[in-house]
Amino acid sequence: MSDNYLRPRSDCPGTPVGLHMLCRFLAVVWLFTILPDPQPAQSAAAPRGDRPATMAIREATTGTLLLRTAQPGRFVPAPTLNTDVHITVTGIIARATVKQEFVNPSREPDNWMEGVYVFPLPETAAVDHLRMTIGERIIEGHIKERTEAKQIYEQAKQKGIRTSLVEQERPNIFTTSLANIGPGDHITVEIEYQETIRYDQNRFSLRFPTVVGPRYIPGVPDLVEHGQSNIAGHGWSFDTDRVPDASRITPPVRHPREGPVNPIHLTLDLVPGFAVGHIASDSHPILVIPGDDNRHHIALRAESVPSDRDFELSWEPADSTHPIAASYAERTAGAGYALLMLTPPAAALADNIAVPREVIYVIDTSGSMAGTSLAQAKAALHAALTHLRASDRFNIIQFNSVTHRLFDQAQPVTTRTMQQAVRYVDGLTARGGTEMLPALRLALDGVEHHDRLRQVVFLTDGQIGNEEELFQTIHQRLGDSRLFTVGIGSAPNSHFMRKAAETGHGSFTYIGRPQHVKEKMEALFQKLERPVLTHLQVVGLNPNSPAELFPFPLPDLYAGEPISIVLKAERLPHQLTITGMVGRTQWRSQLSLTDADARSGISVHWARQKIAALMDGRITGRDQESVRHAIVDVALAHHLVSNHTSLVAVDVTPGRSPERRLQSRALEINLPAGQQYEAIFGLPKTATGGPMHLLVGMGSLAIALVLWVLRRQLA
């Protein structure tokens, strides 16, 4: 679908103000009349040889997403998608290959298609490779500045050449576009990424997201400006003044009654470097096949599963009596890179006297939390209340479209206040939108609290699109509070949850299933009740060899959390000393780099961390253009996808004659497991119907305004 097709002229020069507004409104109406209507979506299936070139809806017996043709009442099947994921974990580094096979099931000779698929990856993923496979041909992707990559893709698309483009919308949301999929074509787009494994409470864990949850999009829709439509993507939401890329992060959502789409096949090779005592998945049934040298091959018990929930895997060392310490090094391109991880002994924190606290619990009661998510959140909140002490103060804030708090200000923990709190939590119901900003402003007061430790516990699925706005609010209003995020549901927005906790000097806890509430919340309570390890510093760096290390400054740590540092220097030091404070007591530990394991990929991890640090500059007010240039320089040097760079691959063989029409369609995604479609999108309709409802409401207001203006002009 070309830009001209999506962006009709809407200005009417030389008309009075009222008529001009009417022209703009009619232009938007016209825009929606020419856009393809969403069609009933059935579960994707492999193409059948006896399928007709076009079909009526009633003829789609095997289940297919249908696209409208120029012939009234006749449709063609849309591209389908299968995803194959293989992850190799070596030590604390994971390397993943994600293969997306796009299939054009149509048999009509002129039915060439473009597939656009919005999908999630881990928020710390460093995407660095792209391959497109067409038959026996393999085309390698190249990293380019985002605008240039998009131009290369569009030029190849217009010429009928098969081409693919991978773009980052958020650190955990990506878009794959594949143009000129011919009838019967099977084209594979393969991307590779790297991330580090999380370690917390003596457990290593990995999470692979499979679905982008529906985001709440606040702000005024950017319908028409300067005579052109601003619909940049294929999503169900308009871009808004507060989420200017909303149309790119809201892929169409399939109603669960239509059955799942986008099946996923996943395997994993685990080489942890030590004997493993326990391997488990909280999200999916798995098969575990032990091998030699502490290796394990892991696969889903089912051959493939619907992409409707995050895949989780965790493993624990067989010997858990000693703190984990690890160091890895790599030398490449004339520089040395090191990755260090150290867990402070729990005894260093256990002997400190607990201080009085003020704990503010914030719970999301928006429509996306309806069902199991709210049940989990309420169970977690009940558990949290039982861990309050008589010396503490507390309050509860809930938010959906509006924000409400239990008490006007934090109250002492008494029998009466606890009874009120229990009744309040029991009465919580899910409805409305996810207006998170007022709740954050109410919970974070931006002041210092010298007499007690102030902690804010935020329970939500984080399904919002205005992350940057919220990060800025946390940065501005945090004061000396600590923000702890608890991700609820089968597919929370982990980018927001993790970054919000990092900005708020707290930690992130993920609860995927109701039966895990008690275990996960108990681990969080240990952190809340134990003093923090603060003022962490790294000493021993060579002053003659300047080093860049991340994160900087080092974050506060809680019991069971490791210190993880990645650094780059011309010459790495032989050892580093890490110092910090536990209360008023100094703590220190040393890590040797002399015997660090050689490991590839450390430079990629360092580059990903530097890009994340540069992105934080936007929160603190750094010049946007200088941030963009710095990100582009790092991303191009390390061949990484970022918000300002993309991977593009172009075939050399023309496929479609430019005279033949190319149909563009966003591939549907599943609703995350446990969520209720009607609670998010209203009455049973496809997700793309939301903008039309908005248009009708705004249209009524616009017509009334036009009539009022005309009446005044004619008076």
Side-chain angles (χ1 to χ4, degrees), residues 11-260:
D11 286 337
C12 302
T15 59
V17 174
L19 292 178
H20 177 74
M21 293 178 62
L22 179 60
C23 288
R24 290 169 66 86
F25 169 68
L26 292 176
V28 176
V29 174
W30 175 74
L31 170 67
F32 275 90
T33 62
I34 66 170
L35 288 176
D37 291 335
Q39 299 302 325
Q42 312 285 337
S43 59
R48 300 193 327 182
D50 59 349
R51 176 172 285 161
T54 64
M55 63 180 70
I57 292 177
R58 64 179 180 277
E59 297 171 349
T61 57
T62 60
T64 303
L65 177 63
L66 301 178
L67 299 179
R68 173 181 292 174
T69 67
Q71 184 179 359
R74 305 299 293 179
F75 302 86
V76 295
T80 63
L81 176 72
N82 293 286
T83 301
D84 184 272
V85 180
H86 180 72
I87 305 173
T88 300
V89 176
T90 307
I92 60 171
I93 296 178
R95 186 78 190 173
T97 301
V98 180
K99 295 182 179 179
Q100 300 168 337
E101 183 187 36
F102 292 83
V103 180
N104 182 349
S106 174
R107 299 305 183 197
E108 186 177 4
D110 290 333
N111 189 24
W112 290 77
M113 296 183 181
E114 176 188 26
V116 179
Y117 180 53
V118 179
F119 64 99
L121 286 179
E123 68 276 11
T124 57
V127 179
D128 56 4
H129 281 82
L130 164 67
R131 297 181 190 90
M132 180 171 63
T133 303
I134 308 166
E136 300 296 322
R137 300 194 306 281
I138 299 177
I139 298 94
E140 292 285 344
H142 300 281
I143 195 75
K144 302 286 184 182
E145 195 164 353
R146 185 164 185 168
T147 302
E148 181 184 359
K150 183 70 172 178
Q151 290 173 346
I152 293 172
Y153 174 84
E154 290 294 334
Q155 290 171 0
K157 181 175 79 172
Q158 297 303 324
K159 293 178 181 178
I161 298 173
R162 295 179 180 91
T163 178
S164 60
L165 177 70
V166 175
E167 301 171 278
Q168 177 183 303
E169 313 298 347
R170 297 286 190 278
N172 62 336
I173 301 180
F174 293 76
T175 297
T176 291
S177 302
L178 180 61
N180 297 309
I181 313 172
D185 271 357
H186 290 242
I187 300 178
T188 300
V189 174
E190 179 180 327
I191 62 174
E192 293 183 21
Y193 73 84
Q194 176 182 298
E195 66 166 335
T196 53
I197 299 302
R198 186 180 184 189
Y199 179 78
D200 190 20
Q201 304 295 320
N202 198 45
R203 176 182 296 177
F204 293 87
S205 62
L206 171 148
R207 188 150 58 95
F208 180 82
T210 70
V211 63
V212 176
R215 298 292 198 264
Y216 176 74
I217 306 298
V220 179
D222 189 6
L223 296 177
V224 178
E225 183 177 351
H226 305 306
Q228 294 188 332
S229 165
N230 286 323
I231 303 177
H234 295 74
W236 50 260
S237 174
F238 287 117
D239 296 338
T240 75
D241 60 337
R242 292 170 63 186
V243 189
D245 61 348
S247 63
R248 296 186 60 86
I249 62 171
T250 53
V253 180
R254 186 181 186 83
H255 198 291
R257 70 185 178 193
E258 304 292 348

Side-chain angles (χ1 to χ4, degrees), residues 5 7-8 65 103 114 154 156 165 186 191 219 237 248 285 288 332 351 388 409 483 543 590 646 706 708:
Y5 180 65
R7 298 178 176 177
L65 177 63
V103 180
E114 176 188 26
E154 290 294 334
L165 177 70
H186 290 242
I191 62 174
S237 174
R248 296 186 60 86
V288 180
T332 181
D351 297 333
L388 291 171
Q409 59 185 3
L483 176 62
Q590 290 183 334
S646 302
V706 168
W708 179 79

Side-chain angles (χ1 to χ4, degrees), residues 182-400:
D185 271 357
H186 290 242
I187 300 178
T188 300
V189 174
E190 179 180 327
I191 62 174
E192 293 183 21
Y193 73 84
Q194 176 182 298
E195 66 166 335
T196 53
I197 299 302
R198 186 180 184 189
Y199 179 78
D200 190 20
Q201 304 295 320
N202 198 45
R203 176 182 296 177
F204 293 87
S205 62
L206 171 148
R207 188 150 58 95
F208 180 82
T210 70
V211 63
V212 176
R215 298 292 198 264
Y216 176 74
I217 306 298
V220 179
D222 189 6
L223 296 177
V224 178
E225 183 177 351
H226 305 306
Q228 294 188 332
S229 165
N230 286 323
I231 303 177
H234 295 74
W236 50 260
S237 174
F238 287 117
D239 296 338
T240 75
D241 60 337
R242 292 170 63 186
V243 189
D245 61 348
S247 63
R248 296 186 60 86
I249 62 171
T250 53
V253 180
R254 186 181 186 83
H255 198 291
R257 70 185 178 193
E258 304 292 348
V261 288
N262 309 334
I264 186 169
H265 173 76
L266 187 146
T267 58
L268 188 145
D269 288 322
L270 178 62
V271 191
F274 52 80
V276 177
H278 182 65
I279 300 174
S281 172
D282 291 339
S283 60
H284 296 78
I286 58 173
L287 299 172
V288 180
I289 304 174
D292 298 331
D293 300 325
N294 296 317
R295 294 171 177 262
H296 294 79
H297 180 71
I298 300 162
L300 297 173
R301 186 176 294 274
E303 184 175 353
S304 64
V305 296
S307 51
D308 64 353
R309 71 189 66 204
D310 294 356
F311 169 77
E312 290 184 272
L313 187 76
S314 63
W315 58 98
E316 299 175 6
D319 180 7
S320 59
T321 59
H322 295 90
I324 293 294
S327 59
Y328 304 92
E330 177 187 20
R331 186 154 193 91
T332 181
Y337 298 84
L339 175 61
L340 314 173
M341 187 177 74
L342 172 68
T343 304
L349 304 178
D351 297 333
N352 285 271
I353 300 174
V355 297
R357 299 179 298 156
E358 179 174 302
V359 187
I360 310 299
Y361 301 104
V362 185
I363 183 168
D364 181 351
T365 56
S366 63
S368 65
M369 293 285 288
T372 57
S373 292
L374 185 60
Q376 288 171 237
K378 291 169 69 171
L381 193 46
H382 276 303
L385 291 172
T386 64
H387 280 257
L388 291 171
R389 299 185 295 263
S391 59
D392 296 335
R393 294 200 300 253
F394 79 104
N395 205 349
I396 300 175
I397 298 172
Q398 68 156 314
F399 70 93
N400 41 65

Side-chain angles (χ1 to χ4, degrees), residues 368 534 552 602 640 693 697:
S368 65
T534 62
F552 182 82
I602 308 300
L640 290 180
H693 291 185

